[in-house]
Amino acid sequence: MKKKNYLHNPATLKIDLMLRGTRIDDPVVKAWACGSSGVDIMLPEKTLVNIPCSEEFTRNSPYLIKKKGSGYLITDGASEVEVSLVERPAFYNRRTASGVPLSSIAVVHGSYTVITPSQRCDFFNRSIECKYCAGNFNVTGRDGVVYSVEEVLEAVEAVLKEKASEIIYFSIGFSDSDDGGIEFLKPYILAVKKNFNCLVAVEALPPKKNRWIDETYALGADSVLYNLEIFDKELFEIICPGRATLIGHKRYLEALEHAAKVFPSGTVASHLIVGLEPPGSTCMGIDYLTGIGVVPILPIYRPSANRALRIEPLDTEIILPVYKHLYKSIKKNRINVNWVRDISMVTTPVELKAIVNGPRQRSIVDGFYKSRLGKKTAWGLATLRRKLRVIDREDDSE
Amino acid sequence: MSVEIDTRPIWVILLLKASRPAFYLAVVLIFWGLIAMPTPEGLSIGGQRAIAIFAVCLILWVSNIVPLAITSLFAIVLVPVLGVLPKKETYALFGNEAVFFILGAFILAGAVMHSGISNRVALNIMKRFGGSPRTLVISIFLLSAFLSFFMSEHAVAAMLFPIVLEIAKGLGLKPGKSNYGKLLFFALAWGCVIGGVATFLGGARVPLAVGMLKETTGDSIGFLEYSVAVFPLVVILLAAGYLILTKFFPIDIEGVGSARAVLERRIKGLGKFSINEYATGTVLLFTIIGWIAFGEGLGLATVALSSVVVLFVFRLVKWKDIEEYVNWGIILMYGGAIVLGAALDKSGAASWLVKSSVGDWAGSPWMAFALFSFLSILLTAAMSNAAVIAVLLPVSLGLASKLSMDPVVLTYAIAVPAGLDFMFPMGTPAIAIAASSNYINVKESAKGGFIMFVTAWAVFNLVAAWWWPLLGMGYSR
Ligand code: SF4
């Protein structure tokens, strides 16, 4: 079968690059990618992608990043496309007052900067960690690092000053508590909201009671993610034993459904990893999640040397229909697509438009959302909405 | 933080939020309208302004849009600012004996609760008399009433609630389903309500009413005098309450063995009778004797505050132990209500109001008594009972002179029914606490409570007509 050429459409190219990775022959790009899981490249039409380049599977990639004049190009041997290397944030070279490198606290992924204040996940202490996690994340059990609120604030200040991204994304692993980790994140969220006018997203595990979801919103989180990762129940139990036994597939769906009622449209999301379950099952997950008002985010599984969980065969031709299905489901259920955008690690619904309708023209709405005024408006509206919706019962005393 | 997220459409929330400023604007306009309109015949300028302040406070108290205490502070500010009373006199009214009596009563109740003696008495009475389903309900009912003779019914309900809840769970009663479960919690709530009107200490409403009466007329009501006057009402309501409850919720269990186990376990947990309990109990006993014997001469507040001093001198209690029991909001609310009452009276506004409103309906003393007691018991179903007194008493006292009625009797007509809300949780914390168990719901409370509402009003009027003359009290002076 003739190999398809994806270079002409940045949205499909992004998917193909994330799936196959790239080879690099330029020392500058190599240096960029050193120590990271991938390299951040800006494709045409401002499509941001983090391309795997260090894993084993990338050695066979048809793609190569090459220097051309003062810029770069990506070629598959037959044709090529001009790209640019995303500048590494300057703050990556700085340290906090306590001596912690800012790059180990905050990692920029396009519009999101991910901060994991505690790199602990209790699943590791019980040997029930998610099977894909150990190879991919810098998370450990009991002895994981915990950053102080002050250290995190220094990192956030650096991110925002440099305009590296506009959304601070807190993530936390599993801790055996009813609140899903939100009590732990509380001082961080409150401090960020108190000191900066930025949007905050929280990626946590579903709490046991819905009141913690309400509290997450009331604290100042503008978006929440409870990542189900795998929709198929049996595969979920095998691949995510900790999540399955201590939280449960059903609780994930319940928590997401409640969150979608509390948070604004398009701000509640859940990852479904492409490549760990059959595409049909991912599509069923997409239907279910969009039906309850949740945005499914479809990261592509990056196999590591010792964790080959990927279903085979897996290529772009197989997974493109899944992405198209995602776009149509989101549109059908009228979920706002402007929140989850411009992320290097995943293809976002806004980018999917180009797969369904062909390469896109930037719309005025798009431009507005990316402008300073648009960002300020988003922050203002999110703050106003919270003010209107949150009722503090302790205030209701006589 | 205890939060709730309002998930209604945002336009509904916006509309409702906008209604708040609109409401305030309306209040300001009413206030301004009442001040700016030509002064009606027979009313002084001061009286007109006092009525404007009263109208604003009335709206704010009824709507509860700002805390009751803040409305009272607002009244205290407006009275001197608008020149209704000089500022020195206004603030002096806050030093009313009733305010200090309530403060003393709060501290005493706090000390009693903190010592654990009230808990011990409650548990032992339930264990001693609660051998069967019937006697257990009766003991909870009477105990709630009895304890509410000495401390705020709110505090009694809060104290007994966990015990009754544990009993209900120990007996395996299903919330919302079990008749006996409903019976237990209604017995708790109604016992507190009925007991709360028996003395000055129940809901601290009576001291407020007496304080306002004293400021306005110079008359007063004694501690024992009041309790003797309402004694038949309390007895009849207790009997009626029990009959109504058992009719509505017939006992549906055979034995209460596991409840006894709960009580025994709790009593064991209390340990032995401590010196602190003995001493605090003794101070309370002497305080009650003091109120009865010297209340008239020394003043109720003096007796209460003396006991408070004794408690602290003998280190029976520390300030931080009782701080949570002192409801400063209520104290502020009472102070403001007294100021407003005095402003209405001294400016002649109260009597003018009566003449031009209820005066024509309440043609005879008997009618006036029936009307005000009805208004009081009706309003207390929807609003805080202290607010009912603050709203109705100044007007009713104005009527007293017009009809040559004894203002003391009219004070009773308002103060007693203001404590008798059996229907809704809004007016009565005891019912709100019982309803929080989920064993009873508002609908059931409203149904049974309505019969008690009618019974209470009728019995109260009958007691006034038949019992009070025997005590030398009459409608007329
Ligand atoms: S929850 Fe799973 S994916 Fe997340 S840190 Fe723990 S083990 Fe890793």
Side-chain angles (χ1 to χ4, degrees):
Chain A
M1 196 169 80
K2 191 173 169 282
K3 195 78 219 110
K4 268 244 179 191
N5 181 349
Y6 297 108
L7 286 165
H8 64 280
N9 185 332
T12 46
L13 177 61
K14 178 171 176 175
I15 293 172
D16 206 40
L17 281 168
M18 285 195 293
L19 192 64
R20 294 153 176 257
T22 185
R23 292 169 291 124
I24 305 169
D25 80 349
D26 177 74
V28 177
V29 184
K30 267 191 183 151
W32 198 111
C34 176
S36 339
S37 63
V39 57
D40 281 356
I41 294 289
M42 191 63 84
L43 304 177
E45 290 170 29
K46 294 202 172 148
T47 305
L48 180 67
V49 60
N50 179 275
I51 315 173
C53 58
S54 54
E55 290 87 348
E56 192 64 32
F57 69 92
T58 60
R59 294 207 183 144
N60 301 322
S61 170
Y63 296 111
L64 177 70
I65 301 182
K66 288 200 334 200
K67 183 105 180 132
K68 188 191 175 191
S70 58
Y72 291 93
L73 56 80
I74 291 182
T75 171
D76 62 358
S79 42
E80 59 189 39
V81 61
E82 277 185 28
V83 299
S84 58
L85 181 65
V86 174
E87 239 178 81
R88 271 177 82 87
F91 77 81
Y92 275 14
N93 301 323
R94 285 175 37 208
R95 288 175 180 269
T96 62
S98 55
V100 182
L102 291 182
S103 59
S104 53
I105 302 177
V107 183
V108 178
H109 290 290
S111 63
Y112 282 69
T113 289
V114 178
I115 293 178
T116 310
S118 160
Q119 283 166 357
R120 292 177 189 166
C121 176
D122 207 25
F123 287 154
F124 282 89
N125 299 324
R126 305 167 186 219
S127 301
I128 46 173
E129 69 272 18
C130 309
K131 297 261 190 307
Y132 52 84
C133 173
N136 288 347
F137 299 106
N138 189 17
V139 177
T140 57
R142 230 181 297 278
D143 51 351
V145 186
V146 176
Y147 299 116
S148 68
V149 173
E150 291 72 29
E151 287 167 336
V152 166
L153 281 184
E154 279 183 66
V156 173
E157 189 178 10
V159 172
L160 297 176
K161 250 196 186 147
E162 210 177 298
K163 299 202 175 73
S165 45
E166 60 263 21
I167 298 169
I168 301 300
Y169 182 108
F170 282 111
S171 84
I172 185 162
F174 176 77
S175 60
D176 198 4
S177 58
D178 284 2
D179 57 87
I182 204 65
E183 273 287 296
F184 173 82
L185 288 179
K186 185 174 174 176
Y188 298 93
I189 301 173
L190 289 176
V192 168
K193 280 283 170 175
K194 188 174 163 204
N195 290 286
F196 309 104
N197 291 347
C198 66
L199 296 167
V200 167
V202 169
E203 181 207 313
L205 290 116
K208 293 208 171 106
K209 298 244 164 66
N210 285 345
R211 77 174 182 88
W212 289 108
I213 301 174
D214 298 351
E215 203 127 315
T216 307
Y217 181 64
L219 278 178
D222 301 289
S223 165
V224 73
L225 289 92
Y226 300 126
N227 292 334
L228 181 61
E229 316 285 13
I230 293 158
F231 190 69
D232 181 274
K233 239 179 127 199
E234 279 167 26
L235 283 170
F236 178 74
E237 279 162 16
I238 295 166
I239 297 176
C240 306
R243 293 173 194 245
T245 46
L246 296 179
I247 299 166
H249 195 272
K250 192 166 154 239
R251 178 61 196 146
Y252 264 91
L253 299 179
E254 276 170 8
L256 284 164
E257 188 167 359
H258 181 77
K261 288 182 190 137
V262 170
F263 285 75
S265 168
T267 64
V268 179
S270 182
H271 286 183
L272 291 176
I273 304 177
V274 173
L276 288 182
E277 62 183 323
S281 159
T282 307
C283 284
M284 280 164 66
I286 290 170
D287 289 340
Y288 188 91
L289 292 177
T290 50
I292 57 172
V294 173
V295 181
I297 295 178
L298 310 184
I300 295 174
Y301 176 59
R302 295 184 179 189
S304 61
N306 50 350
R307 306 257 163 172
L309 295 168
R310 187 150 103 174
I311 52 153
E312 298 292 354
L314 190 73
D315 70 33
T316 304
E317 275 316 284
I318 293 177
I319 60 174
L320 261 183
V322 179
Y323 281 96
K324 285 183 185 166
H325 184 72
L326 168 64
Y327 183 74
K328 285 178 187 156
S329 286
I330 284 186
K331 282 279 145 199
K332 187 175 131 203
N333 289 289
R334 295 159 181 260
I335 300 171
N336 186 346
V337 292
N338 288 306
W339 177 270
V340 183
R341 58 189 300 128
D342 302 321
I343 307 174
S344 57
M345 303 291 281
V346 291
T347 298
T348 62
V350 179
E351 291 162 349
L352 293 174
K353 203 170 168 187
I355 301 180
V356 179
N357 305 335
R360 60 192 168 134
Q361 294 300 313
R362 292 230 154 225
S363 68
I364 297 175
V365 179
D366 246 20
F368 177 72
Y369 273 103
K370 288 185 154 234
S371 68
R372 243 180 95 101
L373 178 65
K375 284 168 194 165
K376 279 215 159 18
T377 310
W379 175 81
L381 287 177
T383 310
L384 176 67
R385 184 188 186 275
R386 179 172 298 105
K387 194 116 199 83
L388 290 171
R389 290 223 183 267
V390 175
I391 304 162
D392 188 345
R393 285 281 163 232
E394 271 151 33
D395 267 3
D396 287 2
S397 51
E398 238 186 32
Chain B
M1 174 153 70
S2 156
V3 295
E4 208 175 279
I5 309 296
D6 191 340
T7 51
R8 287 174 297 184
I10 216 85
W11 64 266
V12 174
I13 302 175
L14 273 172
L15 211 68
L16 290 172
K17 295 260 173 192
S19 66
R20 209 175 161 102
F23 179 85
Y24 285 130
L25 185 69
V27 172
V28 170
L29 288 177
I30 291 171
F31 181 66
W32 183 77
L34 287 172
I35 297 262
M37 69 188 246
T39 310
E41 222 185 277
L43 186 66
S44 64
I45 297 252
Q48 183 179 6
R49 290 178 177 174
I51 288 172
I53 302 171
F54 178 64
V56 168
C57 291
L58 178 80
I59 297 169
L60 295 179
W61 273 327
V62 172
S63 62
N64 214 352
I65 201 154
V66 287
L68 297 179
I70 302 303
T71 304
S72 287
L73 288 180
F74 188 49
I76 296 173
V77 170
L78 284 181
V79 165
V81 165
L82 294 181
V84 181
L85 291 178
K87 67 175 184 302
K88 211 163 170 191
E89 195 180 333
T90 305
Y91 289 104
L93 285 166
F94 201 85
N96 190 284
E97 198 191 333
V99 174
F100 283 92
F101 171 75
I102 294 160
L103 176 63
F106 279 146
I107 298 177
L108 276 169
V112 168
M113 299 266 282
H114 183 76
S115 73
I117 186 175
S118 47
N119 210 358
R120 186 185 295 278
V121 169
L123 288 167
N124 279 296
I125 289 178
M126 282 192 223
K127 190 181 153 221
R128 172 86 179 75
F129 299 104
S132 71
R134 187 167 299 275
T135 53
L136 182 62
V137 167
I138 294 175
S139 61
I140 290 175
F141 191 42
L142 295 183
L143 183 68
S144 311
F146 175 73
L147 289 174
S148 302
F149 293 179
F150 307 107
M151 41 196 200
S152 141
E153 72 237 34
H154 182 177
V156 175
M159 182 183 85
L160 294 184
F161 178 77
I163 304 175
V164 177
L165 189 64
E166 211 177 314
I167 289 176
K169 286 192 173 150
L171 290 171
L173 309 175
K174 290 229 158 49
K177 300 238 158 51
S178 159
N179 263 357
Y180 195 66
K182 294 181 201 300
L183 207 47
L184 289 180
F185 283 97
F186 272 120
L188 168 70
W190 287 15
C192 289
V193 172
I194 298 168
V197 297
T199 69
F200 270 30
L201 301 170
R205 291 169 298 270
V206 189
L208 166 68
V210 174
M212 292 174 79
L213 169 75
K214 210 167 183 179
E215 279 310 326
T216 315
T217 66
D219 289 330
S220 188
I221 300 171
F223 188 87
L224 190 61
E225 182 193 340
Y226 170 83
S227 293
V228 171
V230 296
F231 176 72
L233 172 73
V234 172
V235 174
I236 296 169
L237 286 184
L238 283 172
Y242 179 74
L243 289 177
I244 291 169
L245 281 181
T246 43
K247 179 106 191 97
F248 266 87
F249 310 111
I251 294 174
D252 57 356
I253 62 166
E254 301 288 319
V256 287
S258 39
R260 293 186 72 76
V262 167
L263 293 171
E264 264 159 27
R265 199 174 56 243
R266 275 191 170 250
I267 290 171
K268 240 189 202 150
L270 289 177
K272 61 182 192 338
F273 221 120
S274 69
I275 303 229
N276 207 320
E277 284 175 72
Y278 273 122
T280 310
T282 309
V283 171
L284 179 67
L285 186 71
F286 276 105
T287 311
I288 294 167
I289 294 171
W291 278 328
I292 295 168
F294 313 110
E296 197 88 348
L298 288 175
L300 296 173
T302 314
V303 175
L305 295 178
S306 308
S307 301
V308 168
V309 172
V310 169
L311 285 172
F312 279 88
V313 165
F314 289 97
R315 303 176 77 96
L316 295 174
V317 71
K318 291 194 202 95
W319 182 250
K320 76 169 171 36
D321 300 332
I322 48 93
E323 228 174 354
E324 64 174 296
Y325 299 100
V326 179
N327 189 337
W328 293 104
I330 286 289
I331 291 171
L332 289 177
M333 144 92 204
Y334 283 16
I338 290 171
V339 168
L340 188 57
L344 283 170
D345 176 60
K346 296 195 170 146
S347 63
S351 51
W352 182 87
L353 263 179
V354 168
K355 245 184 263 158
S356 47
S357 58
V358 283
D360 293 339
W361 302 4
S364 68
W366 178 87
M367 284 269 282
F369 189 90
L371 178 71
F372 276 105
S373 57
F374 182 73
L375 282 176
S376 173
I377 202 166
L378 187 71
L379 286 179
T380 200
M383 57 197 265
S384 146
N385 39 42
V388 173
I389 292 174
V391 166
L392 287 182
L393 199 59
V395 182
S396 73
L397 291 179
L399 185 72
S401 58
K402 182 181 176 254
L403 293 175
S404 309
M405 274 183 83
D406 187 350
V408 170
V409 169
L410 272 175
T411 304
Y412 277 97
I414 311 267
V416 179
L420 293 172
D421 171 26
F422 296 92
M423 289 197 283
F424 301 114
M426 297 85 82
T428 310
I431 294 183
I433 289 173
S436 72
S437 68
N438 290 331
Y439 277 87
I440 60 178
N441 59 40
V442 177
K443 207 167 139 199
E444 287 161 346
S445 179
K447 229 158 80 189
F450 180 73
I451 301 178
M452 275 305 273
F453 162 87
V454 176
T455 311
W457 180 70
V459 171
F460 178 60
N461 277 272
L462 288 175
V463 165
W466 299 95
W467 171 251
W468 290 358
L470 300 179
L471 305 175
M473 290 163 66
Y475 294 129
S476 307
R477 265 205 194 271

